[in-house]
Amino acid sequence: QSALTQPRSVSGSPGQSVTISCTGTSSDVGGYNYVSWYQQHPGKAPKLMTYEVSKRPSGVPDRFSGSKSGNTASLTISGLQAEDEADYYCCSYVGSDTFAVVFGGGTKLTVL
Amino acid sequence: QVQLQESGPGLVKSSETLSLTCAVSDYSISSDYYWGWIRQPPGKGLEWIGSIYHSGSTYYNPSLKSRVTISVDTSKNQFSLKLSSVTAADRSVYYCARGGYRYGFDSWGQGTLVTVSS
């Protein structure tokens, strides 16, 4: 399966909102509501931010919200804070009666 | 709070087999959840390698399936990864994680860098 397509980088100022897109196909993102997003700071393990498109694990601020339209999923971060600067990865189930998932290439978020 | 810790050689010779173990604490592998391996070449993105359920059911990335074996040892509360015939392209940070496609990978180990020597 091919990696999901994400913008290489996005940026925003503190307090603003940014949206990171994740484009797949009808065989992955578009076919199932099993998209998750991960935040990764340099040298650290990824952290789960949303799952099943729009659900948030306990402890994740509600500034982070996930959505999906057709073959494109999105992560919106509102009220940007300096600590949000990190790499973000989307991940989608690819179906076919397997457990297989595919990640996006990652997006570097810079807080200006 | 579940904790995961990878262990294994940080250097593997080309064409040999990479072996890593993930020790799980504060949660019984036998209780539930899938347990997986994900890798990340330095400076690059994440790649799912494969996952296992406590029953032993395994699922592998089709692109790596011919070289990957994941096993679980419930008595030691750990699971393991073997990747055969490694090449320089397998140089990555290898993470173990709990979860999978439905609820996401909600807990991760710190990761371990494996380098392949020629």
Side-chain angles (χ1 to χ4, degrees):
Chain A
Q1 58 265 23
S2 300
L4 306 173
T5 300
Q6 298 181 232
R8 292 291 295 272
S9 64
V10 297
S11 63
S13 299
Q16 289 186 333
S17 294
V18 294
T19 297
I20 301 171
S21 62
C22 170
T23 302
T25 69
S26 58
S27 297
D28 38 62
V29 174
Y32 310 92
N33 288 323
Y34 294 134
V35 176
S36 51
W37 286 90
Y38 300 84
Q39 175 192 65
Q40 186 179 36
H41 288 108
K44 301 295 186 181
K47 175 186 177 183
L48 178 66
M49 305 304 285
T50 68
Y51 65 98
E52 288 186 354
V53 177
S54 59
K55 297 180 180 179
R56 277 185 307 274
S58 174
V60 173
D62 60 6
R63 302 186 296 105
F64 293 85
S65 62
S67 61
K68 191 186 84 167
S69 178
N71 297 336
T72 298
S74 299
L75 177 70
T76 297
I77 309 169
S78 58
L80 267 180
Q81 300 180 3
E83 58 262 36
D84 298 333
E85 183 162 300
D87 293 325
Y88 290 83
Y89 294 91
C90 61
C91 178
S92 174
Y93 179 56
V94 297
S96 303
D97 294 323
T98 73
F99 189 91
V101 298
V102 63
F103 286 92
T107 298
K108 170 66 176 178
L109 167 62
T110 301
V111 180
L112 302 170
Chain B
Q1 179 81 356
V2 62
Q3 295 185 64
L4 297 89
Q5 177 68 59
E6 306 89 351
S7 63
L11 185 64
V12 181
K13 292 184 178 179
S14 182
S15 79
E16 295 192 345
T17 297
L18 176 161
S19 296
L20 296 174
T21 296
C22 181
V24 179
S25 55
D26 299 320
Y27 189 89
S28 172
I29 282 184
S30 300
S31 295
D32 200 353
Y33 285 100
Y34 287 85
W35 304 86
W37 290 96
I38 296 130
R39 70 180 182 178
Q40 183 175 35
K44 297 189 178 181
L46 300 166
E47 180 180 34
W48 173 71
I49 299 170
S51 296
I52 190 166
Y53 196 55
H54 65 78
S55 63
S57 298
T58 52
Y59 306 87
Y60 301 131
N61 185 323
S63 67
L64 298 169
K65 186 174 183 178
S66 63
R67 299 195 293 131
V68 174
T69 301
I70 297 175
S71 59
V72 64
D73 186 337
T74 55
S75 67
K76 295 182 178 179
N77 215 40
Q78 63 186 33
F79 59 105
S80 299
L81 168 70
K82 291 188 185 297
L83 180 67
S84 64
S85 304
V86 298
T87 69
D90 295 311
R91 179 177 183 262
S92 294
V93 174
Y94 286 78
Y95 294 99
C96 59
R98 184 181 77 171
Y101 72 85
R102 180 166 187 178
Y103 302 113
F105 296 99
D106 66 354
S107 297
W108 296 63
Q110 64 184 24
T112 186
L113 175 63
V114 178
T115 300
V116 178
S117 65
S118 56

